[in-house]
Amino acid sequence: MTGMATDSLLFSPITIGSLTLRNRLMRSATAERMVDPRNGAPTPRLRGLYLTLARGGVGTIVAGHAFVALSGRCHAEMNSLADDALIPIWQATVSPAQQAGARVFAQLNHGGASCDPAVTAVPLSPSGVNTNPQAQARMMSESEITEIIHAFGQAARRAREIGFDGVQLHGAHGYLISQFLMPRTNRRSDAWGGDPQRRRAFLLAVIAEVRRQAGSDYPLWLKLGIVGSPEDELTSAEGAETAAACFEAGIECLEISNALGAPIQTVQEEPCFLPLAQAVRKAVGPDKPLALVNGFRTRPMMEAVLASGLVQLVSLCRPFIADPALVLHLAQGADTQVQYTRCGRCWPDKPGEGIACKNAAVQRRIHAQTEA
Ligand SMILES: Cc1cc2nc3c(=O)[nH]c(=O)nc-3n(C[C@H](O)[C@H](O)[C@H](O)COP(=O)(O)O)c2cc1C
């Protein structure tokens, strides 16, 4: 590798709200599947992964999505922030990475209709529309909606007690918040569905409840699915308006993603969602902090997007699975091409395995480059 290349905008600190981040690179939330399947408690492996990422130089780590209530548990190896008893073990999991210089956010989620029926027998959803062909979802009652909003607030309060630097709400990829936002999955005609204002009422109520229970000074970020597939009937214009409404409601940073998970792995452009970022920037104005995820693979592209001012943070998931020390390697002048393919072989093949890059060719390339 050549010499240090830390004069790049990628490595310049930024302050968002009350938090200073040491650089512009963020590990996007990644379900690590490194918890005790009995209760969603983090294992020592997860603590080790966060520490490795922090030592590898990343500015911000968003932990894998955590369920806020048992009814929102997507699968048996999902992180839990639904129980006060887990506060000490989460503290021990997160603080070493913070001491190594990274900011660590919790990601709060409820799977809604997308929960695996093996762990959540009758998944809840805004109006009983299925997103998982294996499950028959049930329409949520008014009181269940209120309970889950409250549960998001409780989980944020726990995250603050644990010492997470902030929380990010998961409003993307077809989970419950997305299900409320998309016309296809929200057919309600009460205060929670109908026009765009009422479809976003659930998300805005969650934001208000998090503020109420965790404090208005606690950093609150959002990952938002701006657009769905054509059948989902969620347009990017509406998604961009939702982004603006969420900033009005007090979020401090918005990560731009898509509303449903499946199509993203096949999109080839780098980065995939540049047009969405342009629509959001137009809607929220020049000053709001934005992060962009999906498909960043080369350093010149990351630098160009930051330099354009379109977004302030570059967020990556699969490249950090392939190389947790990616930031350090980029700063040391590693090749501009992030050593990664879109093979998707990072998902675990069996329970207990956890995420890992199983692409031998990618691993060989990373090794060869960092040893050079
Ligand atoms: C193994 C794996 C787990 C993921 N878990 C989450 C998650 O917990 N929360 C989330 O918002 N997105 C999750 N994602 C999506 C990523 O954060 C990211 O949006 C997507 O992979 C595109 O970014 P990339 O091209 O940098 O990988 C996951 C993706 C992968 C591959």
Side-chain angles (χ1 to χ4, degrees):
M1 278 189 290
T2 53
M4 298 293 274
T6 46
D7 54 342
S8 157
L9 190 53
L10 276 177
F11 309 107
S12 67
I14 182 170
T15 299
I16 295 179
S18 57
L19 281 185
T20 299
L21 316 175
R22 64 180 164 180
N23 59 47
R24 309 300 187 90
L25 287 143
M26 161 169 164
R27 200 289 295 248
S28 200
T30 305
E32 300 94 355
R33 299 192 181 227
M34 295 179 190
V35 296
D36 182 336
R38 289 168 304 181
N39 61 357
T43 59
R45 250 181 101 197
L46 189 57
R47 182 177 66 232
L49 175 61
Y50 294 155
L51 182 58
T52 303
L53 284 163
R55 286 185 177 149
V58 69
T60 306
I61 299 168
V62 185
H65 62 164
F67 60 93
V68 299
L70 264 180
S71 64
R73 191 179 190 191
C74 297
H75 57 78
E77 294 183 304
M78 185 174 177
N79 299 347
S80 172
L81 279 172
D83 187 349
D84 283 356
L86 300 179
I87 290 174
I89 194 163
W90 273 115
Q91 275 165 342
T93 303
V94 169
S95 67
Q98 292 170 319
Q99 280 157 24
R103 297 293 188 183
V104 187
F105 276 65
Q107 191 189 49
L108 308 185
N109 196 18
H110 187 292
S114 298
C115 290
D116 179 350
V119 294
T120 306
V122 184
L124 299 175
S125 80
S127 31
V129 176
N130 296 327
T131 53
N132 174 355
Q134 264 88 53
Q136 181 54 59
R138 176 171 70 70
M139 179 172 168
M140 294 162 77
S141 66
E142 180 77 33
S143 66
E144 283 167 334
I145 292 176
T146 311
E147 274 165 32
I148 290 167
I149 292 168
H150 183 73
F152 270 101
Q154 287 280 298
R157 186 263 306 156
R158 280 181 205 111
R160 184 169 191 156
E161 281 178 43
I162 289 163
F164 276 105
D165 291 290
V167 288
Q168 183 190 56
L169 302 175
H170 196 342
H173 308 173
Y175 295 110
L176 187 63
I177 291 175
S178 264
Q179 289 160 29
F180 269 97
L181 292 170
M182 293 185 295
R184 180 176 74 82
T185 45
N186 184 350
R187 299 281 177 204
R188 300 181 75 102
S189 54
D190 59 5
W192 306 104
D195 59 21
Q197 283 74 18
R198 284 181 289 163
R199 277 185 280 109
R200 67 178 73 111
F202 179 76
L203 171 54
L204 294 177
V206 168
I207 291 172
E209 185 65 9
V210 167
R211 284 268 172 255
R212 194 181 72 77
Q213 292 199 46
S216 54
D217 59 337
Y218 191 52
L220 172 53
W221 293 10
L222 169 68
K223 185 169 182 174
L224 186 64
I226 303 298
V227 69
S229 61
E231 312 82 72
D232 296 325
E233 303 159 41
L234 178 66
T235 64
S236 61
E238 183 182 324
E241 272 172 31
T242 302
C246 292
F247 275 112
E248 284 283 304
I251 64 154
E252 288 171 356
C253 181
L254 185 130
E255 184 181 3
I256 293 159
S257 193
N258 60 310
L260 270 179
I264 62 168
Q265 312 298 345
T266 57
V267 179
Q268 293 302 322
E269 292 82 19
E270 179 192 5
C272 305
F273 297 146
L274 206 54
L276 300 185
Q278 284 154 348
V280 172
R281 175 56 73 207
K282 208 168 147 204
V284 303
D287 302 324
K288 303 293 187 212
L290 297 177
L292 182 59
V293 72
N294 210 319
F296 278 111
R297 298 294 177 259
T298 60
R299 182 171 159 165
M301 185 56 82
M302 298 182 210
E303 286 173 336
V305 172
L306 288 177
S308 74
L310 188 62
V311 301
Q312 285 62 48
L313 298 175
V314 164
S315 186
L316 308 108
C317 163
R318 289 165 288 178
F320 278 116
I321 301 177
D323 182 8
L326 173 68
V327 179
L328 204 60
H329 293 149
L330 289 172
Q332 288 170 344
D335 188 83
T336 54
Q337 181 73 38
V338 173
Q339 299 298 305
Y340 167 78
T341 64
R342 291 170 191 271
C343 67
R345 286 170 54 199
C346 35
W347 299 95
D349 295 322
K350 53 181 189 298
E353 192 177 86
I355 51 161
C357 173
K358 295 187 288 287
N359 187 322
V362 168
Q363 288 303 307
R364 266 197 307 276
R365 283 208 303 277
I366 291 170
H367 193 68
Q369 184 170 266
T370 54
E371 292 299 298

